Amino acid sequence: MGRLCCCGARVVLEMHPPLTRLLATLPGVAQTVAMGSPPPPHDYHLPMMSVPGLLGTRLDTIPADIPYLSADPAAVEMWRDRLSALPGRKVGLVWAGNPRANDPAAHLVDRRRSLALARLRPLLERPGFSFVSLQKGAPAAQIGDLPPTLRPFDAMGEVRDFADTAALCAALDLVITVDTSVAHLAGALGRPVWILSRHDGCWRWLLDRDDSPWYPTARLFRQRARGDWDEMVARVVKALESLRLRDTPSR
């Protein structure tokens, strides 16, 4: 967006309503408009996915200056206060995407990228961490299927839009998520984020790498065999254990 402003443009973003408050924090954005509302007078209209082509973005010129989104400081402080009673590092979790049952192709992708919360039980059993749900939609009900001592802290009923989700993410030490919008949100906020990528991962994550040129704070855990979440979860558990050991004072 900054490069567009350098070209003399006044940038107005049209987006889904849950994004309007959050994307208003983007540097260089003059106005946000919810889809369905009349747009202001404008000279040009540019689909978002065409912006990289127009600006000549290549792998070696990806603008990874983060954070480029920000959360409301008062809301972040509120969440930090709410989470302060939880012991250890605070880790956000997203285990499923939007199933989009009305779109067969997208639904099939979601079935490959999502997993049941119960598959993450080896994470939830690790000492030294408190897990916080960032999950929206029907999959959030899976929390009730876990033993009470393993259930993530869940206040997502209070989260209205992505600005609220951003504030909660900013109050966490780490976000672990399947390939959903929260992965991009945490990366844009400059928060540490571990992304659990299906075997046939999204093109955005490129190939044969565990980092992302888009988000310097991201780490990718890729499925090594189609549908094999358990092996991936074992690697995530090992990575969490490394974090815990770094936190343990040496004697």
Side-chain angles (χ1 to χ4, degrees):
M1 293 302 169
R3 287 182 61 183
L4 283 174
C5 292
C6 289
C7 297
R10 181 180 183 273
V11 178
V12 177
L13 293 183
E14 181 184 28
M15 71 213 63
H16 294 290
L19 287 165
T20 52
R21 284 202 304 144
L22 175 67
L23 295 190
T25 71
L26 273 169
V29 171
Q31 184 179 350
T32 58
V33 178
M35 287 183 176
S37 300
H42 55 279
D43 299 301
Y44 302 99
H45 176 266
L46 177 64
M48 184 62 70
M49 294 299 287
S50 298
V51 174
L54 179 68
L55 298 182
T57 302
R58 305 184 308 275
L59 185 60
D60 60 341
T61 63
I62 288 174
D65 296 332
I66 57 169
Y68 56 82
L69 291 178
S70 59
D72 175 64
V76 176
E77 191 58 33
M78 181 275 291
W79 281 116
R80 283 179 179 153
D81 185 63
R82 290 273 302 275
L83 302 176
S84 62
L86 301 179
R89 286 179 180 250
K90 283 71 168 173
V91 180
L93 284 182
V94 182
W95 54 92
N98 182 347
R100 290 182 285 185
N102 60 333
D103 184 335
H107 181 67
L108 287 175
V109 170
D110 183 69
R111 289 180 61 181
R112 298 197 301 276
R113 70 169 174 170
S114 299
L115 72 160
L117 176 58
R119 303 289 288 271
L120 295 178
R121 184 163 177 159
L123 272 69
L124 300 172
E125 293 173 339
R126 303 312 302 167
F129 300 91
S130 288
F131 293 91
V132 177
S133 174
L134 297 171
Q135 182 67 53
K136 290 291 253 183
Q142 296 172 21
I143 294 174
D145 297 332
L146 294 172
T149 56
L150 295 181
R151 293 174 186 171
F153 173 85
D154 182 20
M156 289 300 285
E158 303 171 34
V159 170
R160 301 163 295 166
D161 60 11
F162 277 93
D164 287 342
T165 305
L168 180 50
C169 285
L172 299 171
D173 298 301
L174 171 67
V175 172
I176 299 177
T177 176
V178 294
D179 187 5
T180 69
S181 56
V182 174
H184 299 277
L185 173 63
L189 291 167
R191 304 303 301 159
V193 54
W194 294 358
I195 301 160
L196 312 183
S197 178
R198 66 184 192 270
H199 183 261
D200 56 332
C202 175
W203 59 267
R204 295 172 180 85
W205 308 125
L206 306 176
L207 298 172
D208 302 320
R209 58 191 298 165
D210 60 7
D211 64 341
S212 169
W214 297 101
Y215 308 121
T217 60
R219 177 177 179 182
L220 268 79
F221 292 81
R222 297 177 183 268
Q223 250 183 17
R224 291 175 176 168
R226 184 179 296 273
D228 188 356
W229 290 109
D230 294 340
E231 188 278 335
M232 175 199 287
V233 169
R235 281 185 279 130
V236 176
V237 168
K238 187 174 181 179
L240 277 179
E241 185 65 13
S242 295
L243 281 182
R244 188 183 69 82
L245 292 175
R246 288 209 299 268
D247 287 343
T248 302
S250 58
R251 294 184 178 180

